[in-house]
Amino acid sequence: MNHLISTADLSRDDALLILDTAEEMAQVSTRAVKKLPTLRGRTVVNLFFEDSTRTRTSFEVAEKRLSADVINFSAKGSSVSKGETLKDTALTLQAMGADAVVIRHHASGAPKRLAESSWLHGSVVNAGDGTHEHPTQALLDAFTMRRHLNPGRDGSARGRDLDGRRITIVGDVLHSRVARSNVRLLHTLGAQVTLVAPPTLMPFGVESWPCEVSYDLDAALPKSDAVMMLRVQRERMNAAFFPTHREYSRRYGLDVARAATLPEHAVVMHPGPMVRGMEIASEIADSARSTIVEQVANGVSVRMAVLYLLLGGMTTTTPTEEQSK
Ligand code: NCD
């Protein structure tokens, strides 16, 4: 595999290899010296055409922990705001010797275009394209779920999948690349996914996705091992999709009373950024069953694993053996 564009491209074995490698990377992150030499001398460009807090900083930390040379490029403040095309931007990065490009773009399909083009020779990692996919987010979510919902006897999640686990994804599914990537990956890992949204925020053609669809959050919660709340993505809306904030929150928000109907072991997830009081109550976001901050930490391990496997890791040594070299 040269690129990571969509979770649909990952077989069960590919996904487990990434998740197991991320478990090793997580160990590296607990050490005093949190660095591996794997990508020494390699250049990774973070090409962000859309705003980002978590994804961008997480990729940067991951790249630095692998000793890569990191270049951060954002559309604001670059020649993109002067009208430069993706092609010319890519040719420029190629001329500078980029070995990998991590791209976030408002246009669905931009990372695929880049990966299939002759403009760039390096690996392309999709960090979120329009309403299409966000594969590293889905991988970090699966990593987090696996640790909580299917650990082995020794507490390690290595080699384990999510067979039969029931995951409910709630909110603005229509505009969510996180939901799309999660549905595909979770299905590959054996989980049963239910999407819950107002009818206006459920994508056209959702019947063909490998998941259940429901409009009733109260019915779905008691049957969930994990519930993932999504932000209402106002920046992608050009019309009114629900009457008022209050109405949305009352029917689709995870408040204290609703969260109490979850099974005791169930976890509450959110990819961030969250709108507290809208899709999730602050008490629940900050509660013991919330994995929101843990998801951010796991994002670094998963992104290290992806870059390691794409750029340098297909060797016989494990990342930890390499550190002691
Ligand atoms: C999401 C995104 O950008 O797709 N956030 C993230 O990457 N953690 C979801 C969102 O913006 O609501």
Side-chain angles (χ1 to χ4, degrees), residues 54-55 104 134 137 177-178 231 233 271-273:
R54 268 153 293 270
T55 306
R104 168 168 285 197
H134 192 352
Q137 178 69 43
R177 51 200 179 201
V178 175
R231 184 176 65 89
Q233 301 200 17

Side-chain angles (χ1 to χ4, degrees), residues 146-226:
R146 196 170 80 139
R147 280 187 157 190
H148 283 270
L149 305 180
N150 193 14
R153 283 218 188 99
D154 60 351
S156 158
R158 280 196 187 83
R160 307 187 73 87
D161 61 16
L162 290 166
D163 196 34
R165 300 302 187 275
R166 292 158 307 173
I167 318 296
T168 303
I169 302 179
V170 188
D172 183 0
V173 179
L174 179 66
H175 300 104
S176 179
R177 51 200 179 201
V178 175
R180 275 171 188 73
S181 285
N182 260 291
V183 166
R184 290 177 170 143
L185 181 66
L186 292 171
H187 174 72
T188 302
L189 292 172
Q192 293 167 22
V193 183
T194 302
L195 295 176
V196 180
T200 48
L201 289 175
M202 198 62 95
F204 182 74
V206 73
E207 313 75 52
S208 66
W209 296 18
C211 62
E212 304 280 306
V213 170
S214 165
Y215 302 101
D216 184 353
L217 182 55
D218 293 317
L221 290 178
K223 295 183 279 184
S224 306
D225 297 307

